[in-house]
Amino acid sequence: MKTYTFLIALFFCSLIFAQKSAFTGCENPKGRGMKTICKSKNFPALFSEYMYDVVRNYKNVPQGRANLKFIITAKGEMSQLSYSDTNNEAFAKLALTILQNIQQDFQQYKIFFIPIREKETNQPINFTYEFPIYYSTE
């Protein structure tokens, strides 16, 4: 029987984002979905948890790598989800689907990112967040 090795290497786009990757609205989580989101310390850990659920529940998860990208709007919402630089289109589409599921859960539970602020004016800005994702089986 194949054992699944879950290799996720997630890198932050900047130190600013690493410091501002918290979610808001998680004081009193209700339901399994909300608890999963709120127990995550940062977005890469959250994506990892969702990916693990997919790997655990399906037999033929494609292997591959892809860069996932989305914009954190000035309001703290996720938008313009996409992928690039992939070696397996099926894997990239699966990873994008997982990202879309996270976006839907954020909307359902009214969870937002703390918006990134411009240094000079301290105004919230749109911020592009991109990270690589890898998955292989042994």
Side-chain angles (χ1 to χ4, degrees), residues 62-66 83 85-96:
Q63 299 181 69
R65 74 166 196 287
Y83 66 86
D85 191 28
T86 183
N87 66 348
N88 183 341
E89 198 73 22
F91 172 76
K93 288 179 181 179
L94 173 67
L96 184 60

Side-chain angles (χ1 to χ4, degrees), residues 70-79 111-113:
F70 61 92
I71 293 178
I72 300 171
T73 68
K75 294 180 180 181
E77 300 168 339
M78 294 173 69
S79 72
I111 295 175
F112 301 93
F113 286 92

Side-chain angles (χ1 to χ4, degrees), residues 26 36 46 52 60 66-67 82:
C26 288
T36 297
L46 178 64
Y52 176 74
N60 297 320
N67 284 336
S82 63

Side-chain angles (χ1 to χ4, degrees), residues 76-116:
E77 300 168 339
M78 294 173 69
S79 72
Q80 299 180 24
L81 286 62
S82 63
Y83 66 86
S84 63
D85 191 28
T86 183
N87 66 348
N88 183 341
E89 198 73 22
F91 172 76
K93 288 179 181 179
L94 173 67
L96 184 60
T97 299
I98 293 168
L99 190 59
Q100 290 167 338
N101 290 342
I102 292 171
Q103 180 187 35
Q104 289 171 358
D105 284 351
F106 271 41
Q107 291 169 346
Q108 177 183 351
Y109 298 116
K110 296 178 178 40
I111 295 175
F112 301 93
F113 286 92
I114 296 171
I116 304 301

